[in-house]
Amino acid sequence: MNIKQWSMEPLGDSALLITPRMDSGEHASMHTVISRLIARLEACREWLGYSEYVPAYASVALHYEPWRIFRSRTREEGAHASIFETVAARVRRVLKDSGPYNENLQPERRECVEIPVCYGGQHGPDLEEAASHAGIAPEKLVAIHSSASYLVHMIGFAPGFPYLGGMPQEIAVPRRATPRQLVPAGSVGIGGSQTGVYPVATPGGWQLIGKTPIKLFRPDMSRPSLLQAGDIVRFKPISEKEFYEIDTQM
């Protein structure tokens, strides 16, 4: 990709936002572009000097420690007017088509995660309403929802909340007219053309069709979020008995 396809702007005083500018004839998906960018950044992490990257649907935020960057600047980089300019210059070098930073770098392969879900009943109070809106039986909605493979585009909104792509449009339903003040952790919902899982109890307006006993956000672990951008998710229907059996083991 040519450097003209990327824009960089400061995000506060210790981060840089990288956004790809897609040509009208570009056929690669945005996720592929973002994944390839992350692969490049990871391969050059030590030289770039950043501390963390946060991918979104169409951008990547690169967080860095200004003092660390300042101390590592070369004589040439010392002419930059700001630390942001130094980081931006390093990123531009990484994004060049020539040299070691090329398109051959492939994104890291992620996991395929199966999430058990007890659909309907007390765990999915909106299942029948959602199915009625879609013009199908509740069992059909469950079958369609659990047969698809979902790509995790990003984590956001709440700790560990996955933004999933790939939901069949035939089960898309509008959000609730009045959001709930509290949605239980583990609830699986549909909001418009998206589906997702609430990792923590939080207000929400999605139609709740089920619940998983699996904890998606685990603050006491080295990797708090069970899911990462790039993972593939599949939902597996389980009975209420299986739900409580798994729940007692978590």
Side-chain angles (χ1 to χ4, degrees):
M1 288 188 178
N2 191 286
I3 188 62
K4 293 181 180 179
Q5 292 178 292
W6 303 91
S7 69
M8 280 169 276
E9 56 187 325
L11 189 64
D13 59 1
S14 59
L16 174 148
L17 187 66
I18 311 170
T19 305
R21 293 176 177 173
M22 303 289 285
D23 291 338
S24 58
E26 176 65 63
H27 297 294
S29 70
M30 182 60 75
H31 175 74
T32 299
V33 173
I34 295 299
S35 297
R36 186 172 290 149
L37 169 59
I38 290 173
R40 291 182 178 191
L41 298 176
E42 275 288 90
C44 306
R45 176 188 284 265
E46 184 174 350
W47 179 72
L48 285 170
Y50 68 89
S51 57
E52 181 184 14
Y53 65 81
V54 181
Y57 268 114
S59 63
V60 175
L62 203 64
H63 295 263
Y64 55 85
E65 298 174 9
W67 181 245
R68 180 183 174 191
I69 299 297
F70 177 79
R71 296 186 63 180
S72 68
R73 288 200 298 184
T74 64
R75 177 174 298 182
E76 180 183 354
E77 291 175 335
H80 294 153
S82 66
I83 298 300
F84 162 77
E85 287 189 17
T86 297
V87 178
R90 292 182 182 183
V91 172
R92 289 190 186 96
R93 179 178 170 185
V94 170
L95 296 180
K96 285 182 179 178
D97 289 337
S98 60
Y101 317 113
N102 55 45
E103 298 290 344
N104 294 327
L105 282 174
Q106 295 301 313
E108 176 185 353
R109 288 187 176 276
R110 295 293 189 178
E111 302 177 16
C112 182
V113 182
E114 184 177 80
I115 297 180
V117 179
C118 182
Y119 288 93
Q122 62 176 326
H123 300 304
D126 300 327
L127 175 62
E128 292 190 5
E129 182 179 344
S132 176
H133 187 279
I136 56 178
E139 295 78 12
K140 179 66 173 177
L141 187 148
V142 171
I144 295 173
H145 186 264
S146 60
S147 65
S149 293
Y150 301 90
L151 172 67
V152 180
H153 284 276
M154 60 176 284
I155 301 296
F157 164 65
F161 185 94
Y163 280 80
L164 304 177
M167 191 186 77
Q169 290 304 297
E170 56 191 306
I171 59 173
V173 295
R175 292 168 171 77
R176 291 173 57 85
T178 303
R180 289 183 170 88
Q181 294 185 357
L182 190 65
V183 174
S187 295
V188 178
I190 294 177
S193 60
Q194 290 185 303
T195 186
V197 185
Y198 288 83
V200 295
T202 179
W206 288 20
Q207 305 284 356
L208 305 184
I209 61 172
K211 187 178 181 182
T212 178
I214 299 296
K215 290 180 172 57
L216 270 67
F217 180 60
R218 308 156 300 174
D220 56 331
M221 301 191 70
S222 58
R223 195 181 83 169
S225 178
L226 174 66
L227 301 174
Q228 304 292 316
D231 286 347
I232 299 297
V233 171
R234 291 189 64 89
F235 295 109
K236 176 186 177 183
I238 59 173
S239 65
E240 190 166 9
K241 178 182 178 182
E242 290 174 309
F243 176 94
Y244 288 113
E245 288 177 349
I246 298 174
D247 189 45
T248 56
Q249 299 171 9
M250 299 301 293

